[in-house]
Amino acid sequence: MTGPVRGVARPVLGPVGRLLVVGDVVTDIVARHRTPIAPGTDTAAAIRAVPGGAGANVACWAAYWGCPEVRLLGRVGADSAAWHEAALTRAGVRPRLVVDPEAPTGTVICLVDGGAGAERTFLTDSGASLRLSPEDWAPELLDGVAWLHLSGYLFFAEPSRAVAGVAMAQARARGVPVSVDPASVGFLREWGVGRFLAAVEGVTVLMPSRGEAELLAGVGAGAVADSAVALSRLFSVVVVTAGAEGAVVARGGEVVGRVPSVGVCARDTTGAGDAFTGAFVASRVRGVGLVGAVGEGCRAGAVAVGRVGGRPPES
């Protein structure tokens, strides 16, 4: 089957493995504007409300990319719990959504420049998503799991950071690989690079974007390979995504692969990194090699930028 971007197809299913994603489930309000935002007055835009959240998006893309055994742990408000559960189930994900008795589901306003590049800016109210706590965790969530992925947003609040730590420790005790995407340059800078690096120590695969990698590695802008190499001295594998420039893979202090992007006309870059991550982890669970899995991630990212919102098309 082919995706909505010409020439980009989903892979043929291989051996089945289980993936557990722990992360955020939010409602995205996507506003695509073709002219600069005019302060103090109106700016015409196409606006849609769609299910989102980095963790939920990764889970959906992993299922779409050939990993049918995908579980998701997240926290939502009663206001939209049923809507999110239905959307995740349709995407092939097995959701375990904790309904928060007080906080509403998180909401993200995605301002998307409809011009070349379709760059986006987020206004984020995390709501219930970062109220996930160790009380919401159960060790049996890891039963039969071949890979654990943690959304980086979990690390920016105390309750969710605690559950991430519990999940990571139990996964490592079982020999389950763990991946983390750092999620947000703004939140990383606010919380502190050193604190984040300490919190994710021992992660198997770190998957930052170019900006996140440069911030975490303390290198200058544009130094994608340098940041990947520096971070690979702290983590087993580092995969740095660089948008139209593809991705760089580093291990043990050296670059071991460079994968080009798939050229497409971008409509909305929201969720492109989540698509990359979902396809990468799905491919690794299916036994695809490291660089090959990065290539699958680039292909999924090309599908994502051709769509509005952060989720894959429904089959």
Side-chain angles (χ1 to χ4, degrees), residues 97-167:
L97 300 183
V98 180
V99 179
D100 194 295
E102 300 175 2
T105 300
T107 302
V108 175
I109 307 298
C110 310
L111 304 177
V112 182
D113 185 343
E119 192 53 68
R120 77 282 190 275
T121 300
F122 295 150
L123 301 175
T124 302
D125 179 351
S126 297
S129 64
L130 297 190
R131 288 164 59 95
L132 194 70
S133 75
E135 295 180 357
D136 303 323
W137 173 259
E140 57 266 26
L141 285 168
L142 284 171
D143 289 350
V145 166
W147 193 285
L148 169 67
H149 178 74
L150 302 173
S151 169
Y153 285 106
L154 294 171
F155 294 91
F156 302 131
E158 178 53 41
S160 54
R161 182 161 61 249
V163 76
V166 170

Side-chain angles (χ1 to χ4, degrees), residues 2-313:
T2 57
V5 177
R6 187 181 302 275
V8 180
R10 283 190 285 174
V12 176
L13 295 183
V16 174
R18 293 188 178 100
L19 165 68
L20 172 62
V21 178
V22 182
D24 45 321
V25 181
V26 306
T27 300
D28 285 344
I29 309 299
V30 182
R32 299 177 67 241
H33 56 95
R34 293 195 171 276
T35 59
I37 293 177
T41 186
D42 296 318
T43 300
I47 302 175
R48 291 176 56 192
V50 295
N57 291 347
V58 167
C60 291
W61 279 101
Y64 183 75
W65 219 257
C67 185
E69 296 278 343
V70 181
R71 303 169 183 172
L72 171 70
L73 174 63
R75 193 174 181 101
V76 295
D79 55 315
S80 58
W83 182 62
H84 279 289
E85 183 169 12
L88 289 163
T89 300
R90 287 196 306 271
V93 175
R94 298 181 180 181
R96 178 168 174 166
L97 300 183
V98 180
V99 179
D100 194 295
E102 300 175 2
T105 300
T107 302
V108 175
I109 307 298
C110 310
L111 304 177
V112 182
D113 185 343
E119 192 53 68
R120 77 282 190 275
T121 300
F122 295 150
L123 301 175
T124 302
D125 179 351
S126 297
S129 64
L130 297 190
R131 288 164 59 95
L132 194 70
S133 75
E135 295 180 357
D136 303 323
W137 173 259
E140 57 266 26
L141 285 168
L142 284 171
D143 289 350
V145 166
W147 193 285
L148 169 67
H149 178 74
L150 302 173
S151 169
Y153 285 106
L154 294 171
F155 294 91
F156 302 131
E158 178 53 41
S160 54
R161 182 161 61 249
V163 76
V166 170
M168 188 161 46
Q170 293 187 10
R172 292 177 62 190
R174 296 190 186 203
V176 175
V178 182
S179 56
V180 171
D181 60 286
S184 168
V185 168
F187 286 166
L188 283 171
R189 186 176 288 117
E190 180 180 345
W191 189 48
V193 166
R195 296 169 73 184
F196 178 82
L197 291 175
V200 298
E201 183 179 0
V203 162
T204 313
V205 183
L206 188 72
M207 305 185 66
S209 67
R210 177 211 303 262
E212 293 156 4
E214 290 166 354
L215 176 63
L216 291 172
V219 301
V224 178
D226 291 345
S227 62
V229 166
L231 291 171
S232 74
R233 297 189 177 101
L234 303 176
F235 301 94
S236 298
V237 174
V238 174
V239 179
V240 179
T241 55
E245 295 178 29
V248 174
V249 189
R251 173 189 280 161
E254 63 180 356
V255 172
V256 296
R258 297 175 186 266
V259 179
S261 65
V262 177
V264 295
C265 180
R267 295 181 63 202
D268 177 7
T269 57
T270 303
D274 302 332
F276 179 99
T277 299
F280 172 85
V281 296
S283 299
R284 292 296 282 157
V285 166
R286 290 171 40 242
V288 177
L290 178 59
V291 176
V294 172
E296 293 297 313
C298 288
R299 292 173 61 221
V303 176
V305 299
R307 297 177 50 76
V308 175
R311 297 281 176 89

